[in-house]
Amino acid sequence: MRSMAEPVLQLRALSKAYQVGGRPLPVLKSLDLDVHQGEFTSIMGSSGSGKSTLLNVLGLLDRYDSGTYHLGGVLAKDLSERRAAQLRNRMLGFVFQAFHLIPYKNAWENVALPLTYQRVHRKERYRRAMAVLERVELADRADHLPGELSGGQKQRVAIARALVSEPTLILADEPTGALDSATSHLIIDLLEEVADEGRTVVVVTHEPDIAERTRRIVRLHDGVIADDRLIPRRERSTPPVDATEAAR
Amino acid sequence: MDRFIEILQTLARNGTRTALTALSVAWGIFMLVVLLAAGTGLENALLYQFRDDAVNSIWIWPGQTSRPWRGYRVGRRLQLTNADHDAIAALPGVEQITSRFRVRSDSTITYKDRVGDFDIRSCHPAHQYLEKTQITSGRFLNEDDLAQRRKVVVLGAEVVRHLFRSQDPLGEWVDIGGVAYRVIGTFFDDGGLGELSKVYVPITTAQTAYGGGDRVNAILFTIGDMTVAQSQELATEVRRTLASRHNFDPADLRAVRVRNNLERVQSVTGTMKVIRAFLWLVGLGTIAAGVVGVGNIMLVSVAERTGEIGLRKALGATPARVVFEVLQEAVLLTSVSGYAGLVSGVVAVEILEWSLPANDYMQNPEVDLGVAFTAVGVLVVAGLAAGIIPAWRAAHIDAAHAIREGA
Ligand SMILES: Nc1ncnc2c1ncn2[C@@H]1O[C@H](COP(=O)(O)OP(=O)(O)OP(=O)(O)O)[C@@H](O)[C@H]1O
Ligand SMILES: [Mg+2]
């Protein structure tokens, strides 16, 4: 499981504070964290504990003040916007609570979006988008607009979009926050499969039963890692069969 | 193509507003095109009087003295003669020169049993250059005709039509006031029916046959490629020459009437420059309003798509790419609607031209396509300018924040 290889994600004494009313408000306080390839990790913590902030830093969407963050061996510090955008495009996949699909683009166009920023041609984009849509079992909805999809389907499209550029690290912020529990488990199943295929997945959630489905739970408390524990691999906890069917 | 579809998708999201903005840009270009065409029409009308005469020419008619001069009384009528013609011909700068002697207007022209009342102009061979006479068959008058006082005539198209119908007039004889002339040529002239109803005979012949002596009624000459200042100088020189020959005050502008066509054309062109500048000002003002509209709709569009742009940045759009996309939108919007305005402007001008009754103030309104395309080019550049602020805003959207706030 945890290999001696270089971690996909490595934090050392990483700190970040927001400026609030002229005063620094420390949100992340000297975090140390290693996440290896293929790990399926969840980050938990109470509201305001800094989960989203951490995920933004990991996603190169936000800067940090001190310490180091290595992503795939590359030191990600004080990156230019351009460089950060390029790294996000190649190394990161995002899944959001609110899906964030572009409403006037159909499923496959949404999935293919990251590829447009790699100057991949339309035909090739279509081919690759269809391949990942196949992977999330939505190939038959490729031409549907987001408004014509259920919440679970939207999130699967979003996951397909996160997968399409074959990123090193997938970051999901409350990916099940807008879904009912049966659909949530379906989404977690999908993320689990993705991790099993060797991708590294980090999920932020405040739902214990979702966190329990991952292999490792990192608990943030007031900007500090309060707990970091591995969950022993066990038989997949499958939700009731009829709920699975209903959600599809 | 790909980007094109994408831009259309985003523009379509703000359908009504996009349409209104596009309309205001199109309206701006439309206005510019129509205004400039109207300007051209006005200019054409003003320049119409010069259409069939050499523009680089000076025309001289005798007048009546209006100032006392060395004991000569006021109100003396002047009479120009062949000697005046020769004196002016000798002035440096005078190129092609001709005089005119008016044959009594009661002279009719007869061919067999057909009679016509046409204006007979007797002149020198150079007259052809002054009136831009276009020979359609045979030839114009030449020096030999004058030297030998030949009884030859060149007929205008209208005269030919009236006297000869479809018959070939060359070599035929016509009678003018009791004198028989042989037809040596026919001509066309852009001056309309009046000019086409003229007949030309050698001035020497006319002076002899109709008791003209050495008198002439007008002297006309071309001045080559002189500047207006040079032409004015020459005109003054002509006046001075005639003043000393006929004993009148060189400052007496009524004694001889001098029409400097070059000067007149220049004054029309000068007036047109001012009018044209004004029309541009109005047209560009209208376009500027359209461009501000484009800038605004782009701002709105960027603001409304904050979430989407944030998402695109998260997925790997670099700031440069975001700027590029917004500018593309602005340029597409302005150039397409500008083009539409251009086309409808051209159509409107075409319709105007067709439906315009003859008048003195507007003739052949025309779109100078070079100018129109320049205007569209200016518009596209302006569209770029209009897109800069929205593009800058878009590039500075904080992806994390935009995504948290939701799309
Ligand atoms: N842009 C910001 N400016 C100032 N303070 C911020 C900003 N974003 C977050 N914070 C503060 O930082 C702390 C951590 O916020 P964060 O969003 O990371 O919490 P979270 O753990 O994701 O909470 P939740 O579970 O409610 O989403 C909070 O106290 C929050 O008020
Ligand atoms: Mg959060």
Side-chain angles (χ1 to χ4, degrees), chain B residues 329-390:
Chain B
E329 254 177 75
V331 168
L332 184 80
L333 189 58
T334 47
S335 55
V336 167
S337 42
Y339 186 73
L342 176 66
V343 169
S344 45
V346 169
V347 169
V349 169
E350 206 69 18
I351 291 171
L352 180 70
E353 191 173 354
W354 272 95
S355 56
L356 200 64
N359 68 87
D360 287 344
Y361 305 105
M362 184 77 40
Q363 269 178 27
N364 303 322
E366 261 171 358
V367 184
D368 182 338
L369 277 184
V371 168
F373 277 110
T374 310
V376 173
V378 167
L379 185 73
V380 171
V381 173
L384 267 179
I388 284 176
I389 295 174

Side-chain angles (χ1 to χ4, degrees), chain B residues 1-17:
Chain B
M1 195 55 214
D2 234 12
R3 271 298 298 153
F4 187 69
I5 292 170
E6 176 137 281
I7 295 171
L8 287 188
Q9 282 177 333
T10 54
L11 287 177
R13 289 190 64 213
N14 275 320
T16 325
R17 219 172 347 211

Side-chain angles (χ1 to χ4, degrees), chain B residues 88 273 284:
Chain B
I88 292 173
K273 261 192 199 134
L284 288 182

Side-chain angles (χ1 to χ4, degrees), chain A residues 18 52 56 61-62 81-83 85-86 88-89 94 96 98-105 109-110 113-114 116-122 125 161, chain B residues 2 5-6 9-10 13 305 307-308 310-321 325 395-407:
Chain A
Y18 282 113
S52 295
N56 286 341
L61 292 169
D62 209 345
E81 280 226 44
R82 177 185 157 78
R83 181 85 186 112
Q86 288 168 341
R88 284 196 296 269
N89 186 241
F94 291 93
F96 308 99
F99 322 128
H100 286 289
L101 300 175
I102 295 181
Y104 57 88
K105 287 181 175 294
E109 286 170 334
N110 266 288
L113 201 56
T116 62
Y117 298 117
Q118 295 176 9
R119 310 208 174 282
V120 176
H121 282 290
R122 188 178 170 88
R125 290 208 303 271
R161 182 179 63 193
Chain B
D2 234 12
I5 292 170
E6 176 137 281
Q9 282 177 333
T10 54
R13 289 190 64 213
R305 287 190 297 148
E308 179 193 322
L311 171 78
R312 285 170 179 270
K313 292 183 82 172
L315 297 184
T318 59
R321 172 76 184 236
E325 290 185 1
H396 284 78
I397 285 173
D398 174 359
H401 187 260
I403 287 168
R404 188 169 343 117
E405 298 301 307

